[in-house]
Amino acid sequence: MIDGLNSLDLEKPDRLVTHSWLSYSFQRHPLRYNARFELVFQTANQAGVLNPITATMASEIEGWSSVDSTLRGPVESRLAAGEHLVAWMVSDIDEQRQYRMSLLALSQHRFFCSTHAEVRDWPLAEIDKLRTKDRGGLGTLELLGTDRRLGFWHYTIAQGPAALVVGDRFEDLKAGRDARKQIEEDDVPEGEESESPPNTLALFRLWQFARPHAFWMFIAFVLSLAATVAAVETAKVIRPLTNLLYSYQSREVTSLSGSEWYLGVMLAGAAVAWILSWGQGAILAWVSERVTADLRNRTYSHLQKLSLEYFGGKRTGDLMSRISSDSDRLTQFLSDSIVDFSANSILLVVVAVALFQENLPLAFVTLLPFPFIVWLMYYSRDKLQVGFQAGSRAWANMTSVLADTIPGIRVVKAFAQEEREIERFRTANETVVVANNRVNSLWTFFWPLITFLNALGVFVVWAYGVRLVLHRAPDFDVGALTAFVVLSGMFYSKLEMMSRMVNASQRAATSAQRIFEILDRVSNVPEPARPVIVGKLRGDLEFRHVGFRYGNRKVIKDFSLKVQAGEMIGLVGHTGAGKSTLINLVCRFFDVAEGAILADGVDIRSYKIEQYRRNVGIVLQDPFLFYGTIAENIAYGRPEATRDEIMNAARAARAHEFILQLADGYDSLVGERGQSLSGGERQRISIARALLIDPRILILDEATSALDSTTERQIQEALQNLVRGRTTIAIAHRLSTLRQANRIMVIERGRLVEIGTHDELLAIDGAYAELHRAQQELTRDIGW
Amino acid sequence: MIENLASLNFRKDAWGQLVLIRPDGTEHSGVEPVRCFPLSDPERSIALLDSDGKELANLPDLSVLNPSARAALQQELEEREFAPVIQRITTTSTPNPPCQWQVVTDRGTTSFQLESEDDIRRLGTDGAVIADSHGIRYKIPDITRLDGHSQKIIRRLI
Ligand SMILES: Nc1ncnc2c1ncn2[C@@H]1O[C@H](COP(=O)(O)OP(=O)(O)O)[C@@H](O)[C@H]1O
Ligand SMILES: [Mg+2]
């Protein structure tokens, strides 16, 4: 019996409960499951001729072969001829809530569960419902019979989409629906591929920003190389000069002729080194300023493109300190330290070569402490990095306190909590001190130790040189010793500078890593890979089984609705019902976790975000104005708007008159976040702002909640003209606001519970009627 | 709200749902116990919600219940909680987030994606709670009791 779909014996079809959609938001890692579950209903044979389908059919479900064969095998061997699997999932947590795998699979006749111990199965006829629920990240699939629960399995949310498909296919089988159509509907537009972050050290990744300036960096490098060679070559006159002076003093020679030449070489060498390092310093300072400015720009523009979800979990102060003070630290490192580092490491090599040329055994002795110092630097590096991370974090924490309390200063004052905020800042500041002290104490220990070892290096030269002179070693004289001392002094002083680099580079690496953390974040609202070009939308909207969750809290559940272009929909429901969330989805501030929202019949994820948002005007619950003039704020979405257009929008929003009352009219500054305006005034400006872009879809999220009834009525009259021909979704608590709405929908806990005109809803006497009654009573009571 | 907490009783129905039996014998099925302060004070203030999310009772702690009811509720709470306790951090893909952690927990070994250091929350002086990219929470009751390697990994992030 293959075409079992139509002949499935449904014992109690009336008991079928509509499938509850799981809303899994894979906000951070959008999992796309559509491709994985290829259905096999095409094998259902209408002519009733048996198709030779074998158990190997199972392997045709994508991903099936990746399942552990000890789980998969027993299920395959149980399949009857003609039976094939339509969906499967892995339950990765067992009944005792331990991590252990079992496999759940659905064929057209049975539901299987395969653990490592056994395989069980239930005929579909015995199963009334497959229910999925989830709580705190733990999902549960329940197999419900008509009179009891047959079984349940847990899974982590990563398995959620698969669980959803299993539930879906079960519904399809029960309803005898053709599931192939369903698959097409589920097709999710593919998001743009984002390259995975390279897994290298943060400092090396700075190279991608430095590459455009590679030429200048190369020039700087050549200059520093030349300066180094000049310094070393100059040191070569030390030996003959010293010997000359020595001979003159011991009266072996009577004239100092030639010493002018040596002195001249020294002076020239110093001058050349000066000019060269000047050029190199200037170039690198410019390059490093450029590189970090580019890095800052890239970080900020990346930040702007990240979805709201990212900002929800981030503290403003932390982000600010990453972009400002961390990048500043990088500039310092790039301009000062990297210069020193490249120059010094070249110098070390050149000096070492010079030392070896002079005297082989002495050179070996001179470099004796060198490996030890390098090891010490390496060792301290690791310790320092941890310290610097703590330091950066403490700093960000302190900035966060500022970013939190300064905008909230009115609340602080209103509740007289100044002292507490001072204390909070002091504590944060103290953590900075503690973190820095830790680094400092580490560093103040390592640094003198390294200095000591460096001095030891020079000391060894003296000691060994004295021994050589004492034993009258051939080819060695006081001049050679002096030259050696100067060279080794040069070597160790550079090494000392380099060890200071350890500190700077670790600090910079920490900062670089903090910046790259932003850059590596992928937006959860990805741009489509193959965008559908759109100019002006018509304004049809359709919600198809939309589900959404914040973290692991379900907020929107199985929401379906069709809105025609030009229709005005009123949206009512208790606070927290998910109204704002729903319109966030329409605006693509977040992406739906399942189902789809279609505008003009196309999934909104297929449009380029920017083009799509041009069509959507939104007035938010808490209107945000930017620092600037009123005119600038109204024209925010369309900076090229003319003054007349701005005024017309303001008139429509009933803002014109109050704006004219202000001292500077449309040129008045509104202050940060518009704090110099009242709540109602801000709302009216934000309505004007939304109207100015002439959107096809207008969204009003309690846009008139802060207005008095008269002003609201005026705006409504104005909106009546403006709303015409636009798709409007208006959220309101005052039901009177929604008088013009074509249809009103009532949302309760993320579900659409009622929809219809005002009269229809009153007639069915449900949730809406109740709200209506409550408001009427209130109006009567207080004469509102 | 129910007053006489000591005379409350619970049972499980055939559907696996928790049923609350009031002193007068009326039943509420699909009752959910919820800890009000799951992180800071999990043992106190446990609310009982009906299937609509309305609060039926709030228990100051489990000891107010009679022994059989307490056992039933304890069992139910355990069944609905999933917060593995990290015993050892085996490896991390990179020292800094975003990274993949391989951990040994009281519920077996697993791995998860840690998105950002902000997802690690301190609890008291020595405890920590880590939320992975899917919102599953992992607990570390006392960092100082972890082995040195694990401590090092976590300390650099908090
Ligand atoms: N950014 C967010 N993160 C987590 N939860 C949220 C977020 N925004 C809203 N919620 C929760 O989602 C639910 C619906 O919120 P919302 O859509 O704003 O309700 P309303 O219907 O009042 O506009 C609320 O319970 C709220 O607590
Ligand atoms: Mg809202």
Side-chain angles (χ1 to χ4, degrees):
Chain A
M1 182 71 257
I2 319 152
D3 41 351
L5 270 192
N6 306 323
S7 53
L8 242 184
D9 179 12
L10 296 181
E11 280 187 339
K12 296 184 177 83
D14 53 320
R15 283 193 59 121
L16 274 179
V17 190
T18 33
H19 171 62
S20 80
W21 284 69
L22 257 183
S23 30
Y24 282 103
S25 79
F26 288 85
Q27 296 173 352
R28 283 162 171 171
H29 304 280
L31 261 174
R32 305 264 141 87
Y33 57 83
N34 54 314
R36 224 176 106 188
F37 300 92
E38 202 41 65
L39 277 210
V40 279
F41 284 97
Q42 59 267 40
T43 53
N45 191 316
Q46 273 132 5
V49 183
L50 279 178
N51 258 352
I53 306 162
T54 59
T56 54
M57 272 307 292
S59 60
E60 286 185 19
I61 307 184
E62 232 183 289
W64 177 252
S65 51
S66 67
V67 182
D68 188 355
S69 60
T70 54
L71 288 173
R72 172 165 58 98
V75 174
E76 280 170 4
S77 61
R78 282 230 189 173
L79 288 176
E83 190 178 13
H84 49 256
L85 298 177
V86 296
W88 60 273
M89 68 171 288
V90 163
S91 146
D92 48 3
I93 298 170
D94 69 7
E95 275 169 43
Q96 279 74 47
R97 292 168 313 288
Q98 302 282 331
Y99 288 105
R100 212 166 47 168
M101 294 263 213
S102 52
L103 174 70
L104 307 176
L106 187 69
S107 80
Q108 74 270 51
H109 306 310
R110 283 182 291 174
F111 184 86
F112 295 92
C113 164
S114 163
T115 64
H116 286 286
E118 53 162 8
V119 182
R120 296 180 63 193
D121 65 78
W122 294 265
L124 288 198
E126 275 179 24
I127 306 168
D128 183 43
K129 193 178 165 188
L130 273 188
R131 188 167 62 189
T132 45
K133 56 183 184 187
D134 61 286
R135 200 183 296 116
L138 180 72
T140 309
L141 179 81
E142 289 180 310
L143 197 61
L144 302 180
T146 45
D147 56 347
R148 70 199 160 85
R149 182 164 72 172
L150 302 170
F152 66 96
W153 297 270
H154 297 303
Y155 51 88
T156 57
I157 291 192
Q159 316 299 328
L164 190 70
V165 172
V166 170
D168 238 8
R169 297 300 158 252
F170 177 79
E171 290 291 315
D172 289 338
L173 289 172
K174 280 288 202 186
R177 232 181 290 144
D178 180 11
R180 258 183 302 172
K181 202 171 125 261
Q182 187 80 27
I183 287 273
E184 277 160 29
E185 282 182 359
D186 282 354
D187 217 358
V188 177
E190 220 173 283
E192 214 168 43
E193 284 288 314
S194 53
E195 46 197 285
S196 64
N199 189 13
T200 41
L201 289 173
L203 273 185
F204 288 111
R205 290 180 57 191
L206 282 175
W207 173 243
Q208 73 188 91
F209 293 92
R211 205 163 39 206
H213 312 292
F215 173 73
W216 284 109
M217 296 192 57
F218 179 71
I219 296 287
F221 180 77
V222 170
L223 290 183
S224 89
L225 192 70
T228 311
V229 173
V232 174
E233 286 303 310
T234 316
K236 286 198 174 152
V237 302
I238 289 173
R239 183 176 181 181
L241 179 62
T242 319
N243 284 342
L244 180 66
L245 292 174
Y246 184 74
S247 323
Y248 182 77
Q249 225 175 13
S250 55
R251 295 178 204 285
E252 279 169 31
V253 291
T254 51
S255 111
L256 273 181
S257 70
S259 61
E260 307 86 350
W261 162 250
Y262 295 134
L263 290 176
V265 168
M266 277 178 156
L267 189 64
V272 167
W274 163 51
I275 302 281
L276 291 174
S277 62
W278 177 27
Q280 174 234 33
I283 291 174
L284 276 168
W286 181 81
V287 168
S288 62
E289 218 36 82
R290 203 56 259 156
V291 167
T292 38
D294 291 347
L295 184 67
R296 263 198 299 271
N297 280 340
R298 258 281 282 286
T299 316
Y300 184 69
S301 58
H302 188 80
L303 197 62
Q304 283 285 347
K305 299 215 168 82
L306 286 174
S307 77
L308 277 183
E309 196 253 334
Y310 179 75
F311 293 93
K314 281 285 169 189
R315 293 166 308 161
T316 317
D318 180 60
L319 292 178
M320 276 165 51
S321 87
R322 280 173 202 239
I323 294 181
S324 56
S325 66
D326 280 318
S327 74
D328 190 50
R329 234 168 255 156
L330 274 184
T331 318
Q332 268 174 26
F333 168 73
L334 290 178
S335 65
D336 300 343
S337 310
I338 215 128
V339 183
D340 286 352
F341 192 76
S342 54
N344 290 342
S345 39
I346 298 164
L347 194 128
L348 284 189
V349 175
V350 174
V351 172
V353 168
L355 282 173
F356 279 109
Q357 274 174 356
E358 291 277 334
N359 187 320
L360 202 64
L362 187 53
F364 270 119
V365 172
T366 311
L367 297 185
L368 213 58
F370 177 67
F372 191 64
I373 294 176
V374 170
W375 175 79
L376 204 63
M377 279 160 66
Y378 182 79
Y379 179 74
S380 66
R381 202 198 66 164
D382 227 29
K383 298 235 169 242
L384 283 170
Q385 168 138 46
V386 178
F388 283 130
Q389 266 177 6
S392 281
R393 211 168 287 128
W395 185 265
N397 203 15
M398 192 178 76
T399 332
S400 295
V401 173
L402 293 179
D404 199 22
T405 51
I406 294 177
I409 192 70
R410 287 175 67 157
V411 183
V412 175
K413 289 199 174 295
F415 289 89
Q417 293 296 318
E418 291 95 336
E419 280 308 318
R420 189 170 81 188
E421 292 305 340
I422 292 170
E423 191 49 44
R424 188 150 82 122
F425 184 79
R426 186 175 295 147
T427 319
N429 200 5
E430 212 50 44
T431 10
V432 173
V433 173
V434 169
N436 286 348
N437 273 346
R438 216 173 43 225
V439 175
N440 291 344
S441 64
L442 262 171
W443 188 236
T444 45
F445 173 72
F446 281 113
W447 173 239
L449 188 60
I450 289 172
T451 314
F452 171 69
L453 287 172
N454 285 330
L456 206 63
V458 181
F459 168 77
V460 168
V461 176
W462 274 113
Y464 195 69
V466 167
R467 211 181 88 102
L468 284 183
V469 171
L470 194 70
H471 293 285
R472 303 200 185 282
D475 196 23
F476 194 79
D477 46 36
V478 179
L481 178 60
T482 320
F484 243 94
V485 167
V486 170
L487 278 179
S488 63
M490 212 183 268
F491 184 89
Y492 280 107
S493 72
K494 293 298 171 191
L495 195 61
E496 203 174 298
M497 277 166 80
M498 281 179 81
S499 52
R500 209 172 323 178
M501 273 278 306
V502 176
N503 190 331
S505 71
Q506 282 319 298
R507 194 181 275 268
T510 310
S511 291
Q513 185 244 317
R514 279 166 60 81
I515 293 175
F516 282 116
E517 205 176 293
I518 299 181
L519 280 174
D520 290 344
R521 191 56 71 111
V522 184
S523 176
N524 307 317
V525 179
E527 287 281 0
R530 289 178 301 279
V532 177
I533 303 301
V534 61
K536 273 256 177 252
L537 285 172
R538 233 175 322 130
D540 289 326
L541 269 184
E542 184 185 347
F543 298 83
R544 254 187 215 164
H545 302 293
V546 170
F548 181 74
R549 46 195 280 161
Y550 289 114
N552 47 36
R553 243 185 86 200
K554 259 189 250 181
V555 178
I556 302 290
K557 296 158 207 158
D558 195 16
F559 188 91
S560 295
L561 176 74
K562 272 191 181 165
V563 183
Q564 250 133 44
E567 204 178 359
M568 177 173 177
I569 300 285
L571 188 51
V572 297
H574 295 289
T575 39
K579 306 182 294 294
S580 299
T581 306
L582 198 63
I583 60 152
N584 281 343
L585 296 178
V586 175
C587 297
R588 275 204 85 189
F589 290 153
F590 299 94
D591 267 345
V592 296
E594 87 246 355
I597 298 177
L598 295 87
D600 288 5
V602 177
D603 194 316
I604 58 174
R605 284 169 292 191
S606 306
Y607 297 124
K608 269 186 117 61
I609 298 176
E610 194 194 338
Q611 288 181 349
Y612 172 69
R613 291 217 184 111
R614 285 252 159 80
N615 285 289
V616 183
I618 176 161
V619 183
L620 290 173
Q621 207 164 355
D622 37 5
F624 190 98
L625 303 185
F626 292 99
Y627 183 87
T629 67
I630 288 188
E632 283 164 0
N633 267 292
I634 294 179
Y636 189 74
R638 204 152 69 84
E640 76 283 2
T642 65
R643 298 227 160 81
D644 279 337
E645 287 172 323
I646 292 175
M647 280 193 292
N648 282 338
R651 276 194 200 101
R654 289 295 182 271
H656 185 63
E657 272 129 43
F658 95 77
I659 292 169
L660 295 185
Q661 299 298 316
L662 301 173
D664 298 323
Y666 280 86
D667 292 327
S668 312
L669 286 173
V670 298
E672 259 182 296
R673 294 175 296 281
Q675 56 190 314
S676 63
L677 300 176
S678 83
E681 288 166 345
R682 277 203 292 274
Q683 277 194 337
R684 280 180 276 172
I685 288 183
S686 79
I687 293 173
R689 180 167 64 186
L691 292 177
L692 186 64
I693 62 171
D694 188 27
R696 300 317 300 163
I697 300 169
L698 180 65
I699 290 170
L700 306 168
D701 187 356
E702 293 176 33
T704 52
S705 60
L707 299 180
D708 56 275
S709 304
T710 330
T711 318
E712 186 182 17
R713 185 146 306 173
Q714 286 175 351
I715 290 188
Q716 256 176 20
E717 280 155 18
L719 280 180
Q720 213 166 342
N721 298 322
L722 291 163
V723 157
R724 199 163 294 150
R726 281 175 228 275
T727 311
T728 308
I729 299 180
I731 300 177
H733 284 305
R734 248 177 276 165
L735 299 184
S736 59
T737 314
L738 301 175
R739 269 176 314 160
Q740 272 102 37
N742 302 86
R743 283 187 291 169
I744 293 173
M745 53 185 182
V746 185
I747 295 193
E748 250 172 43
R749 281 197 255 157
R751 279 183 200 282
L752 180 61
V753 290
E754 286 173 17
I755 183 156
T757 63
H758 173 78
D759 295 330
E760 284 167 8
L761 291 182
L762 283 188
I764 56 173
D765 198 22
Y768 182 81
E770 201 169 307
L771 271 174
H772 184 72
R773 262 195 304 278
Q775 290 204 353
Q776 278 196 322
E777 268 163 38
L778 199 66
T779 317
R780 242 195 331 273
D781 286 353
I782 61 169
W784 196 8
Chain B
M1 293 273 262
I2 301 170
E3 293 300 324
N4 191 357
L5 298 175
S7 48
L8 287 183
N9 266 311
F10 298 96
R11 68 175 174 86
K12 278 260 186 156
D13 67 11
W15 305 91
Q17 302 216 50
L18 188 69
V19 180
L20 169 79
I21 309 162
R22 278 175 181 261
D24 61 9
T26 51
E27 296 194 343
H28 297 270
S29 72
V31 169
E32 288 199 44
V34 176
R35 298 190 196 275
C36 298
F37 304 94
L39 298 180
S40 61
D41 197 358
E43 294 310 320
R44 240 157 292 186
S45 297
I46 295 167
L48 298 176
L49 307 183
D50 72 7
S51 45
D52 290 332
K54 243 179 68 196
E55 187 173 43
L56 296 170
N58 197 312
L59 317 175
D61 58 56
L62 288 185
S63 66
V64 299
L65 297 174
N66 63 55
S68 68
R70 190 183 322 149
L73 201 58
Q74 191 86 53
Q75 164 100 16
E76 178 74 13
L77 281 167
E78 260 164 41
E79 271 174 30
R80 58 182 49 237
E81 276 162 8
F82 186 71
V85 174
I86 294 182
Q87 292 161 338
R88 191 154 55 81
I89 304 166
T90 329
T91 55
T92 62
S93 60
T94 56
N96 293 301
C99 56
Q100 190 82 21
W101 280 25
Q102 195 87 39
V103 293
V104 179
T105 72
D106 60 340
R107 303 188 183 279
T109 60
T110 186
S111 69
F112 61 83
Q113 173 84 6
L114 178 71
E115 283 295 333
S116 128
E117 41 195 64
D118 294 343
D119 292 334
I120 303 180
R121 203 163 125 186
R122 286 213 87 134
L123 205 59
T125 43
D126 290 323
V129 177
I130 301 173
D132 76 0
S133 55
H134 291 314
I136 296 180
R137 297 207 165 74
Y138 302 83
K139 289 187 186 170
I140 304 178
D142 189 350
I143 293 174
T144 57
R145 298 254 288 280
L146 292 177
D147 59 300
H149 174 68
S150 310
Q151 271 197 42
K152 208 168 131 189
I153 291 172
I154 191 140
R155 277 209 195 278
R156 65 187 301 162
L157 295 178
I158 53 177

